[in-house]
Amino acid sequence: MILKGIFKVPAHKRFAFKPRYYDPIKEEITERTKRIETELQEEDPTKPHSSTIRGAFKRKTGSKKTFGKDYSAAVGQLSATAMLVTLCLGYWYFGNKIIYAIGAIVGIYILFRLRKK
């Protein structure tokens, strides 16, 4: 009896199964819409379905709203890529001198950026 209190016995692990919600009405609706879409495509495959065209226009308008953010990121990536290519080609042609030159240019740029603030 004394040994029972000294050692801790692990508790039983329970099986926790959370069933997914099943909606037969929603499944029936999705099956019917898929069937109707395939029937429409079989009738005239050259005619595009109107919902796909409508969705394509919605995606394009969404990308125009965030154009400013994407543009600044693209400019940053392009400038970083151009800097790396210039550094590699300059090192290949001129050696260590180009690294010092680019370091001086970046230092002057940072100096002027800090001076404006």
Side-chain angles (χ1 to χ4, degrees), residues 21-56:
Y21 179 73
Y22 175 70
D23 190 6
I25 297 170
K26 184 178 179 181
E27 185 173 328
E28 182 183 341
I29 290 171
T30 56
E31 287 177 5
R32 288 181 64 199
T33 53
K34 287 179 184 178
R35 184 176 38 125
I36 291 171
E37 286 178 354
T38 55
E39 288 175 2
L40 287 174
Q41 292 294 332
E42 289 174 359
E43 288 178 7
D44 191 11
T46 59
K47 183 180 177 184
H49 198 264
S50 64
S51 66
T52 57
I53 292 175
R54 199 174 304 130

Side-chain angles (χ1 to χ4, degrees), residues 58-102:
K58 286 182 182 176
R59 277 179 264 153
K60 285 189 177 185
T61 57
S63 64
K64 287 182 182 177
K65 290 179 183 176
T66 59
F67 181 72
K69 294 178 184 176
D70 295 339
Y71 181 73
S72 63
V75 169
Q77 289 176 351
L78 184 64
S79 63
T81 305
M83 182 67 77
L84 287 174
V85 168
T86 304
L87 184 67
C88 290
L89 291 176
Y91 185 75
W92 189 29
Y93 285 119
F94 301 111
N96 288 343
K97 295 177 188 176
I98 194 71
I99 295 174
Y100 299 135
I102 290 178

